[in-house]
């Protein structure tokens, strides 16, 4: 098997179809810490900066969102989960922060990721997508 003519550097972006773009923007900006990078009104595409990567939010009733079928919900998710690499994993401070925002922890424990095994916490965003907060290996 031949190698590709490139080397992967990491997650570039993910696209999440949303029922309520504003609620999702609030979660990813105010809770996770993303910032608005740009908003493409032609496609109802809100691009959020997540470190060096992007999280794209599209409205299910927008141009791009309609291509994906049924709206996300309890029986129809558009992705299993995605991981956001965080630079520190201070267990007590992280749990306090999550509890203060009334966010449910789905599961937690050591998980293998791009940089090796490290601590992680799985959460649900407001529309049921699972978000993993992944700490550095060895912490």
């Amino acid at each position: 098997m031949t190698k590709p003519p490139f080397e992967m550097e990491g997650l570039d972006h993910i696209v999440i179809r949303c029922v309520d773009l504003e609620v999702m923007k609030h979660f990813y900006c105010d809770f996770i810490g993303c910032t608005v990078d740009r908003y493409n009104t032609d496609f109802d595409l809100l691009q959020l900066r997540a470190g060096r990567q992007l999280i794209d939010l599209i409205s299910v009733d927008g141009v791009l969102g309609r291509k994906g079928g049924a709206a996300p919900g309890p029986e129809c998710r558009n992705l299993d989960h995605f991981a956001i690499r965080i630079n520190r994993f201070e267990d007590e401070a992280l749990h306090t922060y999550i509890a203060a925002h009334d966010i449910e922890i789905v599961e937690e424990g050591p998980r293998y990721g791009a940089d090796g095994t490290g601590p992680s916490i799985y959460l649900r965003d407001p529309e049921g997508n699972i978000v993993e907060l992944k700490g550095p290996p060895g912490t």
Side-chain angles (χ1 to χ4, degrees):
M1 188 181 291
T2 62
K3 291 185 177 182
F6 56 84
E7 291 182 27
M8 295 206 320
E9 294 181 349
L11 182 66
D12 182 82
H13 71 277
I14 62 165
V15 180
I16 301 173
R17 295 173 63 245
C18 310
V19 173
D20 190 328
L21 208 59
E22 281 302 311
V23 169
M24 294 291 276
K25 175 186 171 188
H26 171 71
F27 176 83
Y28 285 100
C29 289
D30 298 341
F31 177 72
I32 297 293
C34 295
T35 57
V36 174
D37 195 68
R38 66 184 195 145
Y39 181 65
N40 183 327
T41 56
D42 293 338
F43 294 105
D44 209 10
L45 167 66
L46 180 61
Q47 295 183 292
L48 305 177
R49 179 63 53 190
R52 292 181 44 207
Q53 294 75 33
L54 294 173
I55 297 173
D56 296 348
L57 304 178
I58 59 174
S59 176
V60 294
D61 57 359
V63 174
L64 297 175
R66 286 192 300 269
K67 294 179 180 181
E75 299 299 320
C76 182
R77 293 184 300 169
N78 290 325
L79 62 113
D80 177 68
H81 82 277
F82 65 94
I84 296 174
R85 176 67 154 73
I86 59 177
N87 65 346
R88 290 185 315 279
F89 197 97
E90 297 168 0
D91 198 59
E92 186 176 325
L94 195 51
H95 278 85
T96 300
Y97 180 69
I98 292 166
H101 287 83
D102 200 26
I103 304 292
E104 174 194 3
I105 295 175
V106 176
E107 65 181 78
E108 57 187 303
R111 298 289 188 276
Y112 182 77
D115 296 322
T117 301
S120 74
I121 292 181
Y122 287 70
L123 313 166
R124 287 195 194 278
D125 72 15
E127 292 189 5
N129 298 299
I130 298 175
V131 179
E132 176 185 359
L133 299 180
K134 179 80 173 69
T139 59

